[in-house]
Amino acid sequence: MKKYQCMTLIAAGLSLAISSASALEGDAQAGKEATVMCVACHQGDGGGMNIPKGESWPALSGLDADYMYKQLQDIKSGARESVTMQAFVNTLTDKQMRDVSVYYSQLPAVAGKGGEDVTEEELAHGEKLAMQGDWDRYIVPCKSCHGPNNQGAGQHFPGIAGQHAGYISDQLHAWKKGKRHNDPQHLMLAIAERLDDNDIRAVSAWLSRQPAQ
Ligand code: HEC
Ligand code: HEC
């Protein structure tokens, strides 16, 4: 059954990718003004910050606008649980959620900085998971959905290359713990539940060292 599930995952991913032109309407200038309370964490350039052993702040610059708008809606509804973010999302109107998403999507992506303390072996393992997967364990490579260089594909598959390791790792654990259940067709849950702590550490560290789009 497992191989069949894998093929289904890829097929579901592809059908999402085909229907994924980003066309969110919003006012980037108004969005910029609404980010006064966001910059403390997501920073003025939208690059966020990696906080080892703490709650990392994701880089938002260059992410797809529709994707971010969906995330803000999901955080507001609780489909994606984040105590930190919910307080801020609740202060935004629907128009402001569109505006800030368009604003951040237009900022140039900030290059990944890495930062986690990992060995060469761990990085090699992370690269394998991201680029080739591990078919013996039914782990589909990240790039099959997140784009050839993991830099994103349309509105459904966010860029994860160059994202902070702490944030990638937090999200994978959030899926495993059921705190994030907003992914279409549970595509990410199916991957996250097959990754152990070592896989998560390795793939997060490797991705965080790759250039963003
Ligand atoms: C106190 C720090 C903090 C502030 C201030 C903050 N955020 Fe966040 N933001 C976070 C954290 C932490 C996450 C990851 C939440 C999680 O774990 O799911 C996040 C996630 C997000 C995401 C989802 C990103 C993704 O890749 O899925 C968006 C979009 C976002 N924030 C936008 C905003 C906007 C817009 C504001 C201002 C109105 C804001 N944030 C203010 C800390 C903050
Ligand atoms: C079958 C398709 C698929 C595969 C394979 C896949 N992902 Fe994802 N991933 C998704 C989808 C869809 C989302 C967006 C979920 C949503 O809408 O909230 C996502 C979101 C994410 C996010 C959250 C990004 C953000 O900014 O919020 C992270 C982190 C992530 N994936 C990591 C990975 C890693 C690491 C791998 C490889 C080990 C991987 N993914 C493989 C489909 C996939």
Side-chain angles (χ1 to χ4, degrees), residues 67 70-71 141-142 145-146 156-157 167 175 180 182 184 188:
Y67 180 75
K70 173 186 178 283
Q71 297 308 312
C142 316
C145 290
H146 289 279
H156 296 294
F157 303 106
Y167 174 72
W175 266 297
R180 182 165 176 178
N182 63 336
M188 264 314 291

Side-chain angles (χ1 to χ4, degrees), residues 34 37-38 41-42 55-58 60 63 67-68 71-72 75 80-82 84-85 88 92 100 104 163 167 171 180:
M37 32 176 196
C38 320
C41 298
H42 295 289
E55 186 185 50
S56 293
W57 304 320
L60 305 177
L63 270 184
Y67 180 75
M68 277 188 280
Q71 297 308 312
L72 293 173
I75 291 169
R80 176 175 173 180
E81 292 171 35
S82 167
T84 306
M85 265 304 293
F88 294 97
L92 300 176
V100 294
Y104 279 124
Q163 184 56 274
Y167 174 72
Q171 296 310 302
R180 182 165 176 178

Side-chain angles (χ1 to χ4, degrees), residues 38-52:
C38 320
V39 293
C41 298
H42 295 289
Q43 308 294 297
D45 64 0
M49 199 175 285
N50 194 46
I51 304 173

